Amino acid sequence: MPAPTPEPGAEPGPGPELPVTFRPARTRIVLLSVGVAILATLTTVAMMLEGIGAGERASFVLTGLLFLGVLALLSRPKVVAQESGVTVVNLTTVRHLEWAEVVRVNLRPGDPWVLLDLADGTTLPAMGIQPGIAKQQAIRDARALRALAERYGTGPSSR
C-alpha cells in the first residue's frame, strides 16, 4: 500500500501505545487449526488401520507432527514495537532494530508483507504484517508501524 498522503497541515498520528505486537492473527489461526486437524486425522487413521505395525503407525503420527511443525513455523512471523526499537520475527530469523535504523515502512499493492527500508540501504521483510487473509487489518497495522517509525525514528516527521 502506498504511503498515505496526510492532509495538508495534519500531523502524523502518534501510533499505538508501546509495546505493541503485530501479527497476522487470522492466518495464524487457520495455519494452526489445519495443522492440528491434519495431526488428528493422521493419528486417527493410524490407530484405525488394521494389520500395520507400530513403526507404520508411528510414521503416520510423525508425518502429522511434521505437517504441524511446518505450519507452526509459517505462523511464527510477528513484529514487536517497543520504545527501544522494533523486533522483526520472520520464519527462521529474529532481528532487533533501533528506531533510527528504520527509514521507511512500505506496504504497496501486491506486496506479500511489509518491507522496512533501513538506514544502511537494505530492505528487511517484516512478515508479521501481511495482507493475505486480512488485508484491511494489515493496512491498519502498516500505518500504525509507519506512525511509530516516524515518531521514534528517522521517518519524515522526525527529521
Side-chain angles (χ1 to χ4, degrees), residues 17-153:
E17 292 297 317
L18 296 179
V20 63
T21 299
F22 303 104
R23 74 173 38 190
R26 289 183 189 167
T27 302
R28 183 175 169 87
I29 290 168
V30 168
L31 290 171
L32 293 176
S33 298
V34 168
V36 169
I38 289 172
L39 176 60
T41 301
L42 288 175
T43 300
T44 302
V45 167
M47 298 308 147
M48 292 179 66
L49 285 176
E50 296 176 11
I52 64 171
E56 292 167 313
R57 289 183 201 277
S59 69
F60 273 85
V61 175
L62 287 174
T63 301
L65 287 170
L66 179 63
F67 272 104
L68 179 58
V70 169
L71 294 175
L73 184 67
L74 290 173
S75 71
R76 182 176 184 244
K78 65 182 176 180
V79 177
V80 181
Q82 303 167 324
E83 287 189 32
S84 64
V86 62
T87 302
V88 178
V89 179
N90 287 330
L91 296 180
T92 59
T93 61
V94 177
R95 183 162 175 197
H96 180 76
L97 303 165
E98 301 296 325
W99 284 114
E101 294 178 78
V102 180
V103 175
R104 181 176 297 146
V105 177
N106 294 307
L107 181 60
R108 298 173 298 247
D111 282 349
W113 41 71
V114 162
L115 297 170
L116 303 177
D117 291 340
L118 304 180
D120 65 2
T122 62
T123 301
L124 176 68
M127 298 173 73
I129 302 175
Q130 48 185 268
I133 295 175
K135 183 177 181 178
Q136 293 306 315
Q137 182 63 46
I139 292 169
R140 284 191 299 273
D141 290 350
R143 286 179 177 156
L145 184 60
R146 182 179 298 126
L148 289 169
E150 290 175 357
R151 179 175 165 195
Y152 291 103

Side-chain angles (χ1 to χ4, degrees), residues 4-17:
T5 306
E7 296 295 321
E11 292 294 318
E17 292 297 317

